[in-house]
Amino acid sequence: MAPRDDPREHRSARAGSSTDPAPGEHGVPGVPGEHGVESLESEESLESLESEEVRAGTGPRIREAWRSLSAARRRFVVVGVILGLLGTAVGVWFALAATATKPNWRDVSYDVVDDQTVDVRFEVTKPRDMTAVCTVLAQETNHGVVGRMQVTVGPSGQLSTITQTRIRTTSLAVIGTVRTCAEQ
């Protein structure tokens, strides 16, 4: 029989080997030992450097870059920023003006009364003095149009008006909806 190795011998041999770190040499902060203390000190200095960078921010770098520009370049940058802001404001103005005078609509409900009739309720939002014409459709299961009607929504004292209309259909409809509304 071969002699068995004593496990204690392996442990002592491993503890003294050059590949395993000695206790405290893991570089872990707060662990006593030669490398642990150095790691803790270097981490503290790293944290203090990071906190100084955070406090400093990018403001000083921007100010320094701004000061390094010539007066003509500074004027060019200022004029460019102002023109960009004005262009954005004009674009928003035109976008709002283009949609402010157009009627908006939304379906409220529909009721299939029978094989040849659908009631459709919808809301139209428009300027008070505008007259809008809305195209209302009745559709079958395959989305084919089985009824169509033009509905006029006249001026009213309110911005939004709920209108109900009855559409005659050629066959059973499953939905009633507004296709479009436009100023008359």
Side-chain angles (χ1 to χ4, degrees), residues 55-69 74:
R55 280 190 299 248
T58 57
R61 285 187 259 162
I62 292 173
R63 280 191 290 270
E64 184 179 316
W66 181 255
R67 288 181 189 136
S68 69
L69 294 176
R74 283 191 226 160

Side-chain angles (χ1 to χ4, degrees), residues 153-170:
V153 181
S156 76
Q158 300 175 357
L159 289 174
S160 293
T161 306
I162 293 182
T163 304
Q164 180 168 334
T165 189
R166 180 164 279 187
I167 302 175
R168 304 299 265 159
T169 63
T170 57

Side-chain angles (χ1 to χ4, degrees), residues 1-50:
M1 208 185 247
R4 297 191 96 194
D5 292 331
D6 186 10
R8 283 176 275 162
E9 289 177 20
H10 290 289
R11 264 190 248 132
S12 61
R14 250 190 275 137
S17 73
S18 61
T19 57
D20 288 340
E25 291 184 358
H26 298 284
V28 178
V31 176
E34 183 180 316
H35 296 292
V37 172
E38 286 176 13
S39 176
L40 183 61
E41 289 173 0
S42 65
E43 250 185 51
E44 286 175 354
S45 63
L46 180 62
E47 286 176 5
S48 66
L49 282 175
E50 287 176 351

Side-chain angles (χ1 to χ4, degrees), residues 53-130:
E53 287 177 4
V54 169
R55 280 190 299 248
T58 57
R61 285 187 259 162
I62 292 173
R63 280 191 290 270
E64 184 179 316
W66 181 255
R67 288 181 189 136
S68 69
L69 294 176
S70 67
R73 283 240 166 140
R74 283 191 226 160
R75 279 193 298 270
F76 182 74
V77 169
V78 169
V79 168
V81 168
I82 291 172
L83 288 177
L85 291 173
L86 283 174
T88 301
V90 168
V92 169
W93 178 275
F94 280 123
L96 291 175
T99 60
T101 60
K102 293 185 178 181
N104 294 313
W105 67 92
R106 73 175 181 91
D107 294 330
V108 175
S109 66
Y110 66 91
D111 181 34
V112 179
V113 177
D114 57 34
D115 288 354
Q116 297 181 341
T117 312
V118 176
D119 288 336
V120 180
R121 289 184 60 176
F122 58 97
E123 179 180 29
V124 178
T125 304
K126 60 181 182 51
R128 291 183 174 101
D129 58 345
M130 177 190 288

